[in-house]
Amino acid sequence: MKKSKQATIVDVASEAGVSIATVSNVINRRKVPMSPETIRKVEEAVVRLGYRRNVMATNLSRRRSNELGLILPHFGGYYGRFAEKLEQRFHGYGYHLSVFSAAGMDPEVETRHIEHLLQRRVDGLVSHGLAISMHSTQQLVGEGTPLVIFNGWGWPNEITKLAVNLDFAKASSQAVQYFLSHGCRAVFYAGRRKGMGANEQRIEGFLAGLGDRAETVVHALLDAGELGVAGILDEALRVSGELRPIGIYTFNDALALELIAECHARGIRVPEEIQFIGMDNEHFAKASIPSITSFEMPVELQTRLVAAFLMRQMGEEIDEESAKELDAYLAQRNGHDLLIDMEMVVRNSTQNEINR
């Protein structure tokens, strides 16, 4: 039995009654003026003929794979939301996004990711600052792959042109100032050392928030990896003595929730005796008892800026609105770090009977 011939782009153009260039524009989702009727005719012709684009041939002729890579520390919480939104952004530009987990910075896993990305010849890469080593990233950049880092600090200019970072330092400073303005007489930062750069930014902001009052306000930096949840609470109570209320700012909402549960178990009242402010504004932060004051992670804005800058690096056109937004933030950047403000969402872990 003779094998049927695979449909080509020429066949699709003939079936739809349009030019080959129009078919290419529809398939690659290029942002060029096309009527909905034209798009519909091409898409229906593709389905009828069973046309599949020859990606390898396209790569050889255009030196483009239309594939991008994203490397995350893991897929939970904020990172999952970030991946989903970024995928939608790049889909709008006609690109496929392959997402990888760093698996706890496992060198073997990292090597496999690098090899895969090099083999696939991805057109661009986005990576969290803690998801891949600078040495490994330099391999990709050395191959000419444009890179955008998010939530990474201290990356040299020869590796990345831009780091799109949430302003954890500023938010942390605001958390401390909130505690002090609401009567807290001792304040603590409960961190996670494994958070590296993100943890360091929180510490920097925590100390900045104390400012001139650092010598008069009881405070300390506590690490969950070293002390554990119960140990953090023990140390905060020991250092505070009889001072109440205590304010504890945590690395994330998950740690705040664990500490609140420990308070419940010991009969310590929240927020009367201890107030908590978390980070990430996870869904459970609103549903916990008491609900947790936290900082919203502006994923929509962060992914818009990441996608727009990577597209611009790759020479792709971006829409006027995205270009204006990106340029406005680039004009305010510090070196090659672009900082995004976060908004505090006040809930019952810092004050009773508030409007939710």
Side-chain angles (χ1 to χ4, degrees):
M1 183 175 177
K2 186 176 180 181
K3 187 177 179 180
S4 60
K5 179 186 174 185
Q6 185 175 0
T8 67
I9 193 170
V10 176
D11 298 326
V12 174
S14 178
E15 178 77 7
V18 298
S19 68
I20 295 173
T22 297
V23 174
S24 178
N25 288 337
V26 172
I27 292 172
N28 292 298
R29 295 182 174 85
R30 295 195 184 96
K31 292 186 178 295
V32 296
M34 288 184 289
S35 70
E37 176 64 17
T38 297
I39 295 172
R40 183 191 63 79
K41 288 195 296 184
V42 172
E43 289 178 342
E44 289 180 353
V46 166
V47 172
R48 283 197 301 272
L49 298 177
Y51 171 74
R52 297 185 70 84
R53 186 173 55 144
N54 187 333
V55 176
M56 292 305 294
T58 302
N59 291 353
L60 290 172
S61 62
R62 295 175 57 220
R63 300 188 65 81
R64 285 285 179 94
S65 65
N66 280 90
E67 184 173 349
L68 305 171
L70 170 63
I71 304 180
L72 302 167
H74 56 80
F75 295 130
Y78 156 73
Y79 299 118
R81 299 196 299 273
F82 185 95
E84 182 178 16
K85 291 298 180 183
L86 192 65
E87 182 179 46
Q88 293 170 5
R89 303 285 172 212
F90 286 137
H91 178 78
Y93 288 111
Y95 284 83
H96 172 263
L97 182 66
S98 295
V99 185
F100 304 88
S101 166
M105 295 287 278
D106 185 319
E108 185 178 339
V109 173
E110 184 177 277
T111 299
R112 286 205 304 269
H113 289 342
I114 296 297
E115 289 176 353
H116 177 82
L117 290 165
L118 288 172
Q119 288 171 3
R120 294 291 298 175
R121 297 178 65 182
V122 292
D123 298 327
L125 178 68
V126 177
S127 178
H128 186 277
L130 303 181
I132 189 171
S133 68
M134 290 188 188
H135 172 73
S136 295
T137 309
Q138 204 154 18
Q139 287 183 255
L140 290 164
V141 174
E143 293 287 327
T145 306
L147 166 72
V148 177
I149 292 291
F150 72 102
N151 296 352
W153 292 267
W155 284 75
N157 290 327
E158 60 267 24
I159 294 181
T160 181
K161 301 297 183 187
L162 189 70
V164 181
N165 299 331
L166 299 181
D167 200 340
F168 292 124
K170 184 176 180 179
S172 302
S173 178
Q174 291 172 349
V176 175
Q177 291 166 18
Y178 182 93
F179 282 142
L180 297 178
S181 66
H182 285 74
C184 288
R185 302 176 65 196
V187 293
F188 300 89
Y189 169 59
R192 293 195 185 278
R193 202 166 295 160
K194 65 180 182 180
M196 294 185 282
N199 191 57
E200 291 166 5
Q201 290 292 308
R202 286 163 169 79
I203 291 173
E204 178 185 315
F206 178 85
L207 297 175
L210 288 167
D212 295 338
R213 301 178 69 177
E215 295 184 6
T216 57
V217 174
V218 173
H219 67 280
L221 305 174
L222 309 174
D223 184 70
E226 177 186 338
L227 298 171
V229 173
I232 286 175
L233 194 54
D234 287 339
E235 189 66 6
L237 292 170
R238 184 191 70 78
V239 174
S240 300
E242 298 300 316
L243 297 176
R244 297 292 184 276
I246 299 168
I248 301 181
Y249 166 55
T250 62
F251 180 83
N252 55 20
D253 292 337
L255 183 53
L257 184 63
E258 290 180 280
L259 284 164
I260 289 173
E262 185 70 17
C263 286
H264 288 332
R266 299 189 191 191
I268 298 172
R269 295 173 300 156
V270 180
E272 292 85 356
E273 296 179 80
I274 303 182
Q275 299 181 17
F276 290 95
I277 297 178
M279 175 70 73
D280 294 353
N281 199 28
E282 298 284 5
H283 295 303
F284 62 78
K286 184 176 181 179
S288 70
I289 300 176
S291 54
I292 302 170
T293 294
S294 187
F295 284 91
E296 177 67 32
M297 308 285 265
V299 176
E300 291 272 359
L301 173 58
Q302 192 176 24
T303 53
R304 284 202 306 270
L305 294 171
V306 167
F309 189 78
L310 187 61
M311 289 294 101
R312 183 176 283 181
Q313 271 199 96
M314 292 165 50
E316 295 280 10
E317 288 187 17
I318 58 177
D319 61 274
E320 185 178 353
E321 185 177 349
S322 297
K324 285 182 178 179
E325 182 176 57
L326 176 61
D327 289 337
Y329 272 90
L330 288 175
Q332 302 172 36
R333 64 179 168 172
N334 179 18
H336 75 314
D337 290 352
L338 185 156
L339 296 174
I340 301 174
D341 287 343
M342 289 181 284
E343 181 182 357
M344 183 188 289
V345 181
V346 179
R347 298 195 179 98
N348 288 336
S349 67
T350 52
Q351 62 185 87
N352 272 323
E353 303 302 324
I354 63 173
N355 294 324
R356 299 192 182 190

